[in-house]
Amino acid sequence: MIVLSLKSLGQALSSRSKARALAETVTTDIEKIQIDFSEIRACNQSFVNELLLVLLLEKKIKTDNIRTSGFNSSNVHIEHRFKKELEFFQKQLLPS
Amino acid sequence: MNTHELVPIFVNSYKAGFDDAVAQIKHGVCNSLSIDFSNVKFFNCENLVRFKCLIHLAKTRNIPLQIKKPRESEVNKNAVTAGLFADAAPMTGQNHGGPIIPLQLIDSEQNDFLFEDLDKAFSSLGPSSNWMPELFEALSELANNIYFHSGVVENSGWGFVQAQKYPDKNEICISICDIGAGLLESYRRRGLVKDRSEQQLVLDSFNELVSSRNSPEVPAHRGKGLYEVLSFVKGFRASLAFSTGSFVVAIKPESDLITITPRAHIEGTLIKLEVPIL
């Protein structure tokens, strides 16, 4: 298990290129990952989409092996977005 | 503001409407541009972003530009504070100390600075500022759309954003605008029109996963950006006016209905978001 800590100077992440750059730091031999959002207050759908796209489709990490941490009252809305996007990949793209 | 009456625009010494001027510059037939703001009594958010786009377009094409500034000093001061006449847009994370985000250039997908700007300008609003992260997320989707889709080719678009608190109306007004391809042309060149009318396309662009009619197998750019904006608008009782091509989409807080009405053709896309301060 590795921990991917999301960090941004302004506590916001919104670009696909940043998401890709972060996700590409994960090596293909990693099976389990924990994504930590504790330092992030805003994170748009495009960012979440690209992050999961790289982790699930390119790094081949299974959805069950992706955990999250760091959600609190100021960023709880991101948790909802993240779960929804993860479900999309699970249902539409990664049939069991 | 009626631009024909209050802000005369001259292209090659001939009077022109705003969108005519934009079109002539784009087509390379404009040799000089003059914009006369002298009779303007008030700049709203929409006018600021639209005129900033026109000025920026002329400057990037090296077109000789003459600007007559507002005669009334207070109006001129507000325009200067917003950055309308500045050579370059104020850079990352800066504001002028008041509840305003000056005109900011959007020309990449690196727009996280908008969150800092929103934080600096509006964090003093108390409980109302709870919407800030989600407002940023909606705004960043709109900014991404400008960069990805409004340019001559993909990933080359630009536009401007501006936000301001209006104490008398107890709301924040945010405008974001480009004078690029427009929604119809952007879909057309990607082969995504699929026999839809412009009206249907504009409506579809707000529907989750219907927008681009990508196949479910396509995991990215699947048309969720404007759906996210719609979710914000509904969640925070905001109102939205989204103009592109020959249509304007309106969403009002008192109704769940999305209305679409014809309007005079505009170049690019103009979005106005009004968020109540509770």
Side-chain angles (χ1 to χ4, degrees):
Chain A
M1 164 89 82
I2 64 151
V3 178
L4 187 64
S5 294
L6 302 185
K7 285 186 171 59
S8 169
L9 201 60
Q11 296 180 293
L13 289 164
S14 64
S15 66
R16 288 184 177 276
S17 56
K18 272 191 190 172
R20 176 162 286 276
L22 272 163
E24 283 180 345
T25 61
V26 177
T27 53
T28 46
D29 58 329
I30 296 295
E31 285 186 13
K32 293 186 177 181
I33 186 168
Q34 179 179 320
I35 305 169
D36 182 55
F37 288 85
S38 58
E39 295 191 37
I40 296 301
R41 286 166 62 202
C43 179
N44 74 0
Q45 199 273 340
S46 298
F47 180 91
V48 173
N49 175 262
E50 191 75 13
L51 188 73
L52 286 175
L53 189 152
V54 178
L55 293 177
L56 296 169
L57 302 186
E58 296 177 24
K59 303 292 179 181
K60 307 288 183 196
I61 296 174
K62 292 190 168 73
T63 52
D64 288 347
N65 289 340
I66 294 183
R67 305 275 165 82
T68 54
S69 62
F71 290 122
N72 52 53
S73 58
S74 65
N75 68 3
V76 69
H77 67 284
I78 301 174
E79 185 175 21
H80 173 70
R81 175 172 291 126
F82 189 89
K83 279 182 179 169
K84 212 174 157 192
E85 194 64 11
L86 197 59
E87 275 170 23
F88 167 79
F89 277 95
Q90 214 161 8
K91 287 178 186 168
Q92 304 289 327
L93 302 171
L94 302 163
S96 54
Chain B
M1 186 195 306
N2 183 329
T3 56
H4 277 281
E5 300 303 322
L6 285 177
V7 187
I9 299 170
F10 294 90
V11 173
N12 304 335
S13 304
Y14 293 100
K15 201 169 182 181
F18 182 96
D19 292 285
D20 293 335
V22 171
Q24 289 190 57
I25 296 172
K26 282 185 188 174
H27 290 120
V29 293
C30 173
N31 300 316
S32 69
L33 178 69
S34 167
I35 309 172
D36 183 358
F37 291 111
S38 51
N39 291 322
V40 174
K41 305 289 181 202
F42 174 73
F43 281 104
N44 61 27
C45 269
E46 296 150 282
N47 287 321
L48 282 170
V49 287
R50 290 266 282 164
F51 278 108
K52 186 68 181 180
C53 281
L54 178 60
I55 292 168
H56 186 77
L57 179 67
K59 285 182 177 175
T60 55
R61 301 287 176 100
N62 294 318
I63 291 166
L65 174 65
Q66 187 185 25
I67 294 175
K68 287 186 184 166
K69 294 185 178 176
R71 203 174 289 133
E72 286 188 17
S73 61
E74 197 60 28
V75 178
N76 188 47
K77 188 180 153 197
N78 289 342
V80 169
T81 302
L84 181 62
F85 308 125
D87 279 341
M91 293 305 288
T92 302
Q94 290 184 1
N95 71 46
H96 293 256
I100 181 172
I101 296 178
L103 288 152
Q104 298 277 10
L105 177 66
I106 304 288
D107 64 351
S108 78
E109 59 157 355
Q110 307 298 335
N111 296 307
D112 295 345
F113 66 86
L114 283 173
F115 188 70
E116 291 177 73
D117 281 337
L118 288 169
D119 210 16
K120 282 179 187 168
F122 305 129
S123 60
S124 62
L125 297 177
S128 284
S129 60
N130 285 341
W131 43 246
M132 231 165 5
E134 285 159 271
L135 172 62
F136 163 77
E137 287 154 1
L139 212 50
S140 63
E141 294 289 0
L142 295 172
N144 284 356
N145 276 351
I146 286 178
Y147 172 67
F148 288 136
H149 305 310
S150 75
V152 178
V153 294
E154 291 291 292
N155 303 349
S156 71
W158 60 266
F160 280 89
V161 60
Q162 201 255 349
Q164 201 164 334
K165 179 185 169 192
Y166 289 102
D168 52 331
K169 289 200 276 183
N170 221 26
E171 68 183 23
I172 306 286
C173 179
I174 300 124
S175 284
I176 183 164
C177 169
D178 71 79
I179 48 176
L183 196 122
L184 176 61
E185 180 55 29
S186 154
Y187 273 65
R188 188 178 282 149
R189 70 185 176 202
R190 287 179 287 152
L192 295 169
V193 174
K194 314 262 173 89
D195 296 328
R196 287 175 285 180
S197 65
E198 184 180 29
Q199 184 172 7
Q200 191 59 50
L201 266 179
V202 175
L203 271 178
D204 279 355
S205 68
F206 284 89
N207 286 328
E208 188 178 19
L209 307 184
V210 176
S211 163
S212 55
R213 287 198 181 164
N214 285 333
S215 72
E217 286 73 34
V218 178
H221 295 288
R222 60 183 201 275
K224 284 198 77 177
L226 287 179
Y227 176 77
E228 290 287 319
V229 175
L230 183 62
S231 301
F232 171 81
V233 169
K234 287 185 172 175
F236 289 88
R237 312 280 299 162
S239 61
L240 175 85
F242 178 97
S243 301
T244 185
S246 303
F247 291 94
V248 56
V249 170
I251 302 164
K252 299 281 181 194
E254 61 270 19
S255 165
D256 273 347
L257 288 176
I258 299 178
T259 60
I260 182 162
T261 46
R263 60 154 294 158
H265 178 84
I266 68 160
E267 295 282 323
T269 304
L270 171 65
I271 298 147
K272 181 185 175 190
L273 197 54
E274 290 166 320
V275 191
I277 302 168
L278 302 173

